Amino acid sequence: TSPANYVYTFLQPIITELFALATDGMEVTTIEGESINAKVHLLLFTGDTLAVADLINHRGHSHKYGCRICPIAGVYNGGTYFHGKASSHTPRSVDSYRTLNETLGITRSPIAFHPDFRGPAFFGLDEMHLFGQNLARRLREYFRPYPDRNILPDVETRNYPFLLTDNRTMKHVGQDMVKSRPLLPGHFDGNWTDISSGSSRAVDWIDFMLYALPTLVIPYLTNKKSKEILNNLVIACHLSLRWEVRPEDMNFVRNAMSRYQVFLDTNAQGGHISRKSQPVQIHYLGHVSYIMQCLGPMPAYSCRSLERTIGQYKQMSISKNKKGPSLQIKLEDRLIKNIADAHSAAQENVNEDGELCVLKGKRYKIDGDAFAKLRRALKRYLARMGLGGGNDGVEGWSFYGQMERDGKVYRSVCSVGGDI
Ligand SMILES: [Zn+2]
């Protein structure tokens, strides 16, 4: 049995529950004593590339059909590489995730039969791994000192598209980053330090790409076309990481990513850069605008919160020789505490304005504007997914503060009286 097959042995309980909640739903008793049938819809099921590959029985990034979004055929060259622009390939169909016999690298998986499954966008696309772990690191490797593992054919000639003036290297860039640190406002996610120091995390790499690359590297490029391509690529990443994305932004992102991919391909064909410059992570950039069209801004389905959760589990002190049972006891303890918290929260009174929420016994005011935004976003999403019978059906949605299931009282974080 491959590791992929293990995924569903522990996901099965939650998968069964998610199917039941999306089809049969659950009976909810509202704070006003009204009984409604509520269904729970699954918006997306995401993780990093490797986790999603296991989830959908995809043969992964080294396979000929190594893209989970489109059926592009990769070329084997010591690894599998995907040339040209991704946006010219039509996304895989819903049925292609449900076939019994392997088709283009994918065999059917339980999640592909979930009633809310709508195709490749269902698995998101994580900005942290895509930009931080991959793109930013690869961009750095275009410049001296070049890493040994990525020997480029043409690096010392004028044909090399990423040549810098004045013999500038990444060592100078690192020194400039350290020097500029005291002058910067402190609003970066990362540490803003020499990116070559070896201790950099994904957030540091993203800062490097968004802020250091356009100021400390790109202006020194000798090749005008490279300047333009990389500048637009960085702008596309900025736009992709915003919480609000307009249709013209998505067009810009699609064009900038496509032009970068074509630029790499042309230079690889001309023998100026390595043919290995386009692994699947670079190919996925071409799908960013498609994913944003389906799911909205990338921070909304980023893996950053998942990574923090992994950090929490890693920090737990669990028994070395009985890891499984030890973790189970810890999780059960936490569950009991959560239920107890929910019960005590349910004893509290809602204020007259009905706009308070209760979280761990503390009270938080929810700002009316934020709530209206949330509601609009939900309505747009439901309309796009064709849920609730189109726009008309969506009008009936409202939020309730409290519900009962199997005799237990649960309270939602947001407690709002009546229709909002
Ligand atoms: Zn693709």
Side-chain angles (χ1 to χ4, degrees):
T1 312
S2 78
N5 298 106
Y6 288 125
V7 171
Y8 279 98
T9 61
F10 69 83
L11 283 182
Q12 199 54 56
I14 185 86
I15 295 271
T16 308
E17 192 156 333
L18 287 169
F19 272 66
L21 286 169
T23 49
D24 299 331
M26 60 181 166
E27 291 300 319
V28 179
T29 308
T30 69
I31 204 156
E32 290 85 10
E34 187 191 352
S35 181
I36 55 166
N37 179 264
K39 290 184 177 174
V40 177
H41 288 284
L42 188 57
L43 304 188
L44 80 160
F45 211 127
T46 193
D48 61 21
T49 313
L50 300 174
V52 173
D54 286 350
L55 187 72
I56 61 173
N57 285 327
H58 182 208
R59 296 276 287 267
H61 61 277
S62 55
H63 190 258
K64 182 178 178 190
Y65 298 102
C67 174
R68 68 170 189 253
I69 297 174
C70 80
I72 186 177
V75 176
Y76 185 78
N77 179 10
T80 312
Y81 301 94
F82 302 84
H83 302 293
K85 57 178 177 181
S87 58
S88 55
H89 296 268
T90 318
R92 292 172 183 258
S93 69
V94 168
D95 284 340
S96 69
Y97 295 87
R98 295 174 173 167
T99 51
L100 182 57
N101 298 317
E102 184 183 311
T103 316
L104 305 175
I106 290 179
T107 324
R108 73 178 182 187
S109 60
I111 196 68
F113 290 88
H114 190 279
D116 295 322
F117 177 67
R118 295 284 188 281
F122 196 64
F123 307 110
L125 191 59
D126 173 47
E127 49 82 27
M128 195 186 84
H129 289 96
L130 195 63
F131 295 156
Q133 308 278 30
N134 281 290
L135 178 62
R137 282 170 193 258
R138 283 180 192 281
L139 289 172
R140 190 208 157 274
E141 292 178 358
Y142 293 159
F143 308 102
R144 289 194 298 152
Y146 309 107
D148 293 340
R149 69 180 177 87
N150 198 8
I151 296 164
L152 306 161
D154 233 1
V155 286
E156 298 302 341
T157 77
R158 286 183 59 199
N159 289 330
Y160 181 60
F162 303 113
L163 209 59
L164 299 179
T165 54
D166 304 335
N167 289 323
R168 192 169 168 82
T169 72
M170 290 314 290
K171 208 175 150 197
H172 302 119
V173 174
Q175 286 164 355
D176 286 349
M177 285 182 80
V178 173
K179 256 192 273 174
S180 64
R181 203 174 173 193
L183 307 168
L184 293 168
H187 68 266
F188 292 107
D189 288 337
N191 284 332
W192 192 264
T193 182
D194 181 358
I195 204 71
S196 313
S197 66
S199 60
S200 305
R201 302 163 303 152
V203 282
D204 300 324
W205 282 105
I206 290 177
D207 281 351
F208 162 75
M209 180 178 73
L210 295 180
Y211 306 105
L213 202 69
T215 51
L216 302 174
V217 184
I218 295 175
Y220 297 89
L221 278 166
T222 52
N223 185 318
K224 260 191 179 169
K225 179 93 190 263
S226 310
K227 273 189 191 177
E228 188 209 331
I229 294 284
L230 290 191
N231 264 327
N232 285 343
L233 177 70
V234 172
I235 295 169
C237 293
H238 270 285
L239 292 173
S240 306
L241 290 170
R242 287 172 57 170
W243 276 96
E244 214 167 317
V245 189
R246 299 164 301 174
E248 56 266 37
D249 297 335
M250 286 188 264
N251 282 339
F252 185 92
V253 170
R254 189 176 55 247
N255 287 333
M257 300 293 194
S258 295
R259 290 187 64 210
Y260 170 59
Q261 291 176 333
V262 170
F263 182 76
L264 291 181
D265 197 31
T266 311
N267 275 286
Q269 283 183 28
H272 310 316
I273 58 170
S274 165
R275 294 288 290 164
K276 300 183 178 186
S277 61
Q278 295 182 82
V280 79
Q281 292 87 354
I282 296 296
H283 167 83
Y284 275 128
L285 294 174
H287 293 308
V288 165
S289 67
Y290 166 74
I291 296 289
M292 287 199 295
Q293 249 164 18
C294 299
L295 296 175
M298 293 187 95
Y301 39 91
S302 163
C303 282
R304 289 185 195 214
S305 51
L306 291 178
E307 295 290 323
R308 294 269 154 118
T309 312
I310 293 170
Q312 267 207 355
Y313 286 128
K314 274 189 183 165
Q315 280 167 14
M316 278 184 176
S317 55
I318 52 173
S319 155
K320 283 225 161 58
N321 44 12
K322 284 186 177 173
K323 283 182 181 166
S326 167
L327 182 64
Q328 189 178 347
I329 290 167
K330 295 257 176 193
L331 292 179
E332 281 172 355
D333 282 352
R334 191 173 285 185
L335 181 70
I336 290 163
K337 192 180 170 302
N338 285 347
I339 291 175
D341 283 352
H343 269 289
S344 65
Q347 306 305 317
E348 297 202 22
N349 294 321
V350 180
N351 260 21
E352 287 152 8
D353 61 3
E355 281 192 354
L356 289 173
C357 71
V358 180
L359 194 65
K360 285 186 181 166
K362 288 181 200 153
R363 288 173 175 277
Y364 296 87
K365 180 101 178 159
I366 296 204
D367 156 57
D369 277 358
F371 221 90
K373 261 189 201 164
L374 180 67
R375 184 167 177 252
R376 275 204 303 280
L378 179 66
K379 281 173 77 170
R380 277 203 300 274
Y381 178 78
L382 293 171
R384 198 160 63 232
M385 297 290 280
L387 300 171
N391 280 326
D392 292 341
V394 170
E395 289 302 320
W397 285 75
S398 50
F399 298 88
Y400 292 94
Q402 180 179 309
M403 63 161 214
E404 232 177 282
R405 191 178 179 218
D406 298 332
K408 283 176 196 159
V409 181
Y410 295 86
R411 189 170 218 181
S412 69
V413 175
C414 311
S415 147
V416 176
D419 278 345
I420 51 154

